[in-house]
Amino acid sequence: MLISDFDGVIVDGMEEYWWSARRVALSMLPAGAELPEPLPEPFRQLRPRVLHGWEMGVLAASIAGWAEPASAFAADYSGALAASLKRLGWTPQQLTTALDAVRRGAIADDRAAWLALHRPYPWMLAALQRLDAAGEPWRVLTTKSAGFTAELLACHGLRPQRIHGREDGPKPEVLLRLRAEGLWRDKVLFLEDRRLTLEAVRATPGLESVVCCLVSWGYLLPEDGEALPPGLALLRPEQLEQPLAQWP
Ligand SMILES: [Mg+2]
């Protein structure tokens, strides 16, 4: 059984992240705030640190000069995030609501344009299509909302057995529930591009049977692929050409 993260593993959504983060920030900042339309480099560099989509609105506010500077996020991400929320007077709930509204609006206005901001990684698309063709079940475990994820997968003809979205809770908890439900008997592969999430899974009692794979093509920090602890394997695009049983 394969369980895969979505953003940065199945789909490269960097263009959409900035597109929506920019709109979220501009909808919440005072009138007159400005942000460039092309993806700014500090946003690209900080994106691997993002755990929840709402944090991207705060990064955009930082780039607009209304929150802690990008250098503060690079030095202490969670500290700068908390300080920025305080300074802006924003809550994660407000930001999540604004992000969902921006995305719903984009799908309603021009669905094709919004979908085109997401590019599936070709090797992942091919591997998942092979699983679908062989009738082998796979699932998605993401911090994105399940609805938007389903929309994006459907437009590439992909058919996961189920999507576990942000509504289902933290990833280690979802995996524990799936194990308790008997979803896998011997081996399950979990694909992620966020090393901290894989380390949290490794540290969760009861999830020892999960084979944790850090995908080499995702939104990794420069040091993420180095000195991987036992139980954490690096997965490269060429390995996906092998049958699933020969992946790590
Ligand atoms: Mg990811």
Side-chain angles (χ1 to χ4, degrees):
M1 165 65 80
L2 173 73
I3 302 179
S4 177
D5 175 33
F6 184 72
D7 292 302
V9 178
I10 299 176
V11 158
D12 179 4
M14 191 62 86
E15 292 292 333
E16 194 274 343
Y17 297 151
W18 175 244
W19 190 92
S20 51
R22 177 178 176 272
R23 275 160 183 77
V24 165
L26 292 179
S27 75
M28 294 175 68
L29 286 170
E34 285 183 11
L35 279 168
E37 281 195 30
L39 173 66
E41 196 49 35
F43 185 84
R44 185 192 294 279
Q45 282 171 11
L46 288 170
R47 183 59 184 68
R49 300 183 190 266
V50 167
L51 175 57
H52 304 103
W54 62 260
E55 297 163 27
M56 300 190 297
V58 181
L59 293 182
S62 158
I63 289 164
W66 287 81
E68 299 298 302
S71 57
F73 281 89
D76 172 14
Y77 183 83
S78 54
L81 187 63
S84 296
L85 283 177
K86 205 172 161 197
R87 189 167 148 189
L88 290 157
W90 294 354
T91 66
Q93 189 50 52
Q94 281 175 312
L95 284 153
T96 300
T97 302
L99 180 62
D100 285 353
V102 161
R103 284 179 168 157
R104 269 199 307 274
I107 292 173
D109 290 348
D110 192 345
R111 186 172 179 271
W114 184 75
L115 293 171
L117 291 170
H118 303 79
R119 284 183 295 268
Y121 297 100
W123 46 89
M124 218 28 218
L125 185 60
L128 295 175
Q129 284 169 339
R130 275 202 314 276
L131 291 182
D132 277 346
E136 289 194 54
W138 54 280
R139 294 189 176 205
V140 174
L141 178 51
T142 174
T143 53
K144 215 184 191 74
S145 108
F148 293 125
T149 308
E151 179 92 5
L152 288 161
L153 287 167
C155 90
H156 296 291
L158 293 173
R159 296 185 300 274
Q161 187 182 53
R162 248 192 88 176
I163 298 168
H164 304 278
R166 77 165 179 247
E167 304 83 354
D168 288 10
K171 292 183 180 185
E173 283 179 23
V174 176
L175 289 171
L176 275 176
R177 277 205 305 275
L178 296 179
R179 195 204 60 145
E181 288 167 12
L183 180 66
W184 68 87
R185 236 165 279 128
D186 41 0
K187 184 175 163 185
V188 64
L189 248 67
F190 176 44
L191 271 52
E192 253 290 338
D193 67 327
R194 193 168 180 278
R195 180 166 166 167
L196 286 175
T197 300
L198 290 175
E199 287 174 354
V201 169
R202 294 300 315 156
T204 303
L207 293 181
E208 294 80 3
S209 62
V210 177
V211 180
C212 287
C213 300
L214 180 70
V215 304
S216 66
W217 57 86
Y219 312 128
L220 305 188
L221 295 168
E223 65 275 20
D224 276 352
E226 292 163 19
L228 290 176
L232 227 157
L234 193 68
L235 186 66
R236 298 182 188 282
E238 56 270 23
Q239 287 171 279
L240 270 58
E241 290 163 21
Q242 308 294 322
L244 187 58
Q246 287 171 40
W247 294 15

